[in-house]
Amino acid sequence: MGLKIYINGKFYSKEDAKVSVFDHGLLYGDGVFEGIRTYDGLIFKCKEHIDRLYQSAHAIMLDIPMSKENMTEAVKKTLRENRMKDSYIRLVVTRGYGDLGLDPRKCGKPTVIVITDKCKLYPQELYEKGLEIVTISTQRNIHESVNPQIKSLNYLNNILAKVEAINAGVEEAVMLNSEGYVAECTGDNIFMIKDGVIYTPPIHSGVLRGITRGAVIDIAHLKEIPIKEEVLTRYDLFNSDEMFLTGSAAEIIPVVRMDRRKIGDGKPGKMTAKLISEFHKLTKVDGVRF
Ligand code: PXG
């Protein structure tokens, strides 16, 4: 049995799962999405992801034509249909079928898509050896134009940054905000540790309020590890003892080099390892069964 993809209440094979060329999700990137993980039959931080999807939609005045409960059911149903216990879910809501103009009023009904796939983490080797990252020149979107909190289908800001990272021969990029302070990576939040304190940029630095970021903050509080949301510069990162990135796909991944500077002793740090192990414990309990 092949993969089944949910579109507007029906299941389609991978080959038949298609949307119209008049869908404003395609024409303008007009829509929102979520990336969610499941671990051994549990949807990790399910409520948080569903809530964020509806908040993104609300911010762009997109009325999702179903309740949060029904959306959660659609996700569960898709997971059961595909018999996947450990997977990556892509939940997409587009403005829907319209005409060639921008006007969202021309779009009759949003398109709701649920795709489940195998988890696509970075190669295991990078979790063991740590990642190298570079600062790139594409600034993170400013909140007055496209707020980084909106997980919209328009990810060109992040893709341009990713292209710069790839051109530099590495996998991830540090994006700065318009004031030159550290914001986040292309699909991950950024953290550093200095003298036993964990630091991450505050939301007003122009970052997505990552759900994995939130989980790390919760773990730190629970384990009584000091954690601060503080405006950070590249200098702070260069001189940190440990660094790591967080995201639903990447989970927690250590960073060992940034802009050719060694971070700490150039190996994944001990506190990072502790956080990774606590995070894995959390994925076993914090979720909704499907
Ligand atoms: N920042 C940005 C800009 C993101 O898009 C994160 C941080 C991490 O947030 P969560 O809630 O996942 O902890 C994201 C989300 C991918 C992929 O396939 C990942 C994201 C977005 C798009 C694609 O790796 N991460």
Side-chain angles (χ1 to χ4, degrees):
M1 189 197 74
L3 190 68
K4 290 277 184 269
I5 291 147
Y6 174 105
I7 307 176
N8 290 339
K10 293 200 186 105
F11 286 105
Y12 299 87
S13 69
K14 204 170 176 175
E15 295 70 33
D16 295 330
K18 290 174 181 159
V19 293
S20 165
V21 292
F22 288 97
D23 194 302
H24 280 208
L26 173 71
L27 288 173
Y28 298 115
D30 188 357
V32 294
F33 78 100
E34 275 298 320
I36 316 172
R37 284 289 297 275
T38 71
Y39 295 95
D40 194 23
L42 286 178
I43 307 169
F44 185 59
K45 299 271 180 198
C46 182
K47 182 179 185 300
E48 285 81 351
H49 282 284
I50 299 287
D51 283 347
R52 189 170 66 183
L53 180 78
Y54 279 74
Q55 285 167 14
S56 292
H58 184 64
I60 69 164
M61 289 192 79
L62 193 167
D63 255 327
I64 299 179
M66 58 205 278
S67 66
K68 287 185 185 178
E69 290 71 29
N70 288 345
M71 184 65 81
T72 308
E73 272 315 307
V75 171
K76 287 185 188 175
K77 215 172 144 189
T78 310
L79 288 164
R80 286 196 297 262
E81 188 78 19
N82 288 295
R83 296 172 207 278
M84 277 186 177
K85 288 191 129 191
D86 293 277
S87 64
Y88 181 77
I89 307 161
R90 176 57 53 91
L91 191 46
V92 182
V93 184
T94 80
R95 188 78 66 181
Y97 183 104
D99 66 15
L100 292 182
L102 290 175
D103 193 342
R105 292 172 301 185
K106 301 281 175 61
C107 302
K109 185 167 126 295
T111 309
V112 179
I113 302 165
V114 188
I115 313 168
T116 55
D117 202 354
K118 295 203 177 69
C119 324
K120 39 177 175 55
L121 290 165
Y122 286 116
Q124 182 57 29
E125 194 197 351
L126 286 180
Y127 288 84
E128 286 151 22
K129 290 192 179 155
L131 196 63
E132 174 170 5
I133 60 179
V134 292
T135 311
I136 48 77
S137 58
T138 303
Q139 283 173 6
R140 189 73 178 104
N141 281 335
I142 55 171
H143 63 86
E144 299 94 320
S145 48
V146 182
N147 195 311
Q149 299 273 46
I150 303 169
K151 260 185 96 75
S152 86
L153 293 182
N154 194 322
Y155 248 52
L156 261 188
N157 183 224
N158 312 62
I159 291 165
L160 288 174
K162 183 86 174 177
V163 166
E164 284 189 73
I166 294 164
N167 287 348
V170 303
E171 290 297 318
E172 254 301 356
V174 178
M175 301 182 78
L176 308 177
N177 63 22
S178 59
E179 292 184 296
Y181 293 111
V182 173
E184 59 182 335
C185 291
T186 67
D188 299 303
N189 290 109
I190 194 161
F191 285 76
M192 58 165 260
I193 301 171
K194 179 77 176 172
D195 298 330
V197 181
I198 307 173
Y199 296 87
T200 195
I203 300 305
H204 69 74
S205 284
V207 309
L208 179 76
R209 194 186 296 277
I211 287 163
T212 321
R213 174 186 182 276
V216 167
I217 293 172
D218 289 347
I219 290 168
H221 288 150
L222 212 68
K223 295 286 151 192
E224 297 181 341
I225 306 166
I227 185 157
K228 291 181 181 167
E229 291 180 54
E230 236 173 56
V231 170
L232 300 174
T233 63
R234 292 169 69 217
Y235 172 93
D236 298 321
L237 295 179
F238 294 156
N239 290 293
S240 65
D241 302 325
E242 299 182 29
M243 207 195 292
F244 60 89
L245 312 181
T246 65
S248 297
E251 302 178 329
I252 299 175
I253 184 157
V255 174
V256 292
R257 246 160 95 89
M258 173 176 162
D259 298 334
R260 301 269 174 124
R261 275 88 160 172
K262 197 156 81 167
I263 302 306
D265 62 3
K267 295 196 185 84
K270 284 204 174 65
M271 268 179 83
T272 305
K274 165 94 181 140
L275 291 167
I276 291 173
S277 111
E278 290 299 328
F279 180 78
H280 284 149
K281 283 188 211 163
L282 196 65
T283 62
K284 292 186 173 71
V285 292
D286 194 330
V288 168
R289 194 153 295 284
F290 56 86

